[in-house]
Amino acid sequence: MVAATETVTLVLGEDSPLPESPADVEDLVRLLRGHVAQLGARSVQGTSALLRAQQLCSESIPEGYMPSRVYLVRLAEATRELTAHVASGAPDAGRVKGRWRWRKPPVNVLRGAVFALALACLVLAASVPRT
């Protein structure tokens, strides 16, 4: 998420100038598309932020100076929105739809289980007759 935020700042920052060459625009678009793909894996499928970013990623870069820069800014804004959605810890963020995952138990539950197992082993060992 940090890399995505840095790339978005390169495009949308107040002190950031517009890219001069078409190659610079293509590089920034490629970076933003990569960030959208990574953030999409950590987001719930079907959210509006993800759908908007994916729709922009599927479009080709328009020809011409202004249309390509407008596309770059729109893609950066969509990436910023998706980053904010993932960072906010939206409900079920990071959970793949249709899959069920175990929740990680609290540390004290694990400690109690280990203690109970150790106590059961001790009782079992003490109940075995000696020869």
Side-chain angles (χ1 to χ4, degrees):
M1 285 197 312
V2 174
T5 304
E6 290 174 358
T7 306
V8 167
T9 304
L10 280 174
V11 177
L12 299 178
E14 291 180 15
D15 300 332
S16 299
L18 286 175
E20 294 179 15
S21 69
D24 293 339
V25 173
E26 289 176 14
D27 290 341
L28 287 169
V29 166
R30 191 175 306 117
L31 282 171
L32 289 170
R33 286 177 177 169
H35 295 315
V36 167
Q38 290 175 346
L39 292 169
R42 298 179 60 189
S43 177
V44 176
Q45 299 299 321
T47 58
S48 62
L50 178 60
L51 291 175
R52 178 173 175 246
Q54 287 176 336
Q55 191 251 342
L56 282 170
C57 286
S58 66
E59 296 176 6
S60 62
I61 301 173
E63 296 293 324
Y65 182 83
M66 282 308 291
S68 64
R69 276 44 175 200
V70 168
Y71 172 76
L72 177 65
V73 168
R74 289 179 56 213
L75 183 58
E77 289 171 346
T79 306
R80 180 175 56 190
E81 182 182 347
L82 183 58
T83 304
H85 176 74
V86 171
S88 71
D92 297 335
R95 183 173 162 194
V96 179
K97 195 173 189 176
R99 282 187 157 171
W100 190 80
R101 298 175 72 182
W102 285 92
R103 290 189 315 159
K104 186 177 178 183
V107 173
N108 287 337
V109 171
L110 293 175
R111 288 179 181 160
V114 169
F115 177 75
L117 181 64
L119 187 62
C121 288
L122 183 63
V123 168
L124 181 69
S127 66
V128 173
R130 295 185 188 182
T131 55

